[in-house]
Amino acid sequence: MADRDVLAWPFFAPEHRVWAAEVDAFVRQLPAHDEDVDRATIELTRALGEAGLLRAAVPEDGRLSVRHLCLARDILARHDGLADFAFAMAGLGTGAITLFGTPALKSRYLPAVRRGEALAAFALSEPEAGSDVAAITTAASRDRDGSWRINGEKTWISNGGLAAVYVVVARTGEGPGTRGLSAFVVPGSAPGMTVAERIAVAAPHPLARLRFEDVRVPGDHCLGAPGEGFRIAMTVLDHFRPTVGAAAVGFARRALALSLARATSRRLFGSTLFDQQMTQDAVASMATEIDAAALLVYRAAWLKDGGAERISREASMAKLFATEAAQRAADRCVQLHGGLGVVSGSPPEVLWREVRALRVYEGASEIQKLVIARAERDRAAAPSARVAAA
Ligand code: COS
């Protein structure tokens, strides 16, 4: 369950508490994973779909509730990082279709993902364009019959090679940099799209570098208008960056729970580890940072659900603070476990590896700082701020 106090916060209505209980019941009955990470991801996605939980990640009415997404990730990540990954990817992979797709594209690609029968992927990053989205070189050109032809390479693509549907951001050249990008829906079966490399990472999940060689998609598979790809990608990230923060909160809660269990049972110097003031310092820091992170996460989610057009500043603050705090919590958890904390496969060591990538993906911490700083500059320059300062 998400922390009971959190669910009593004014960001939430009764429907959110019901949802949290539903996700909690689901994750508690999950069997052990298949050892093969691809099979495990497919099985977890299917289980999430069968339980009806992917209705929040791929909503039928097209309205992504960021609070539902965040609560689910908070709870799933606390118990099972791969289940959180499977849930998050169903949403991130289809987010651009949910928000910008035509009714025809939605009805063709979304129901199978919602049922957990198909995986989805979001293909933005490239070998030479990670943080700098404006540097994307994968190109899409229009054929005479109106269809699009995509050529290039994408990397760090979660579910790459397994997904049945991809959203691919490519250069179409309507303008320079961010103004010349478009977003396309590409079926996983499209000829010419191949896995160039599978990438093994610290916390194993399906990840690949993909090659696009004359991959053709119909004219109506461009989301929005050509040239709107950057805005579409950033809007999707505005919705999903707070959810990365929520997953971080869940991982940090796990770190705190493991730490308390260890500290109150481990005896040393005639008392327990918890009785050492330095342990209490660690526990107090973890607990305070978890609440602060959760407040930022659920503030961003509440703002978006309330109809705010842009929440880039609040989404970035939530992701930045929560993921950095989760890393500190995981590290403190390892420290409190001593040698046991670095044993391969021990719960603190697994957690420590699971948390690390969150500070990198969907915009590294440094990128979140750029977004926050620019937003502060713009707010200070806004006429209302100048009046207030005078
Ligand atoms: N929603 C809608 N529009 C947005 C937006 C958002 N969240 N963020 C930016 N825009 C608009 C800007 O308003 C600007 O519009 P104009 O050209 O009309 O002025 C345009 O998009 C370009 O924005 P900006 O100048 O801020 O672009 P930059 O090239 O400087 O890039 C960063 C900004 C670095 C923030 C962006 O590239 C980014 O988020 N990078 C990280 C990407 C990432 O997360 N990668 C990991 C992918 S894993 S899924």
Side-chain angles (χ1 to χ4, degrees), residues 92 122-125 129-135 156 177-179 230-238 241 309-312 360-364 367-368 370-371 374:
L92 181 69
F122 186 50
L124 184 65
S125 300
S131 294
D132 186 3
V133 176
W156 313 119
T178 56
R179 293 171 185 228
F230 185 78
R231 185 178 68 87
I232 290 174
M234 291 300 130
T235 305
V236 169
L237 291 175
D238 270 4
R241 280 178 179 158
E309 176 112 2
R310 284 270 302 263
I311 58 152
S312 310
V360 175
Y361 72 66
E362 283 181 52
I367 292 298
Q368 310 309 331
L370 289 186
V371 173
R374 288 177 185 185

Side-chain angles (χ1 to χ4, degrees), residues 37 156 197-209 353:
V37 79
W156 313 119
E197 178 192 10
R198 282 295 300 260
I199 307 168
V201 281
H205 68 271
L207 193 68
R209 180 162 59 89
R353 285 189 287 107

Side-chain angles (χ1 to χ4, degrees), residues 303-339:
L303 272 174
K304 191 74 208 161
D305 291 348
E309 176 112 2
R310 284 270 302 263
I311 58 152
S312 310
R313 171 181 177 273
E314 292 76 13
S316 289
M317 284 181 171
K319 181 181 186 286
L320 171 68
F321 186 81
T323 58
E324 296 285 340
Q327 191 76 61
R328 287 190 289 275
D331 198 66
R332 286 184 172 117
C333 178
V334 168
Q335 196 70 15
L336 286 169
H337 282 75

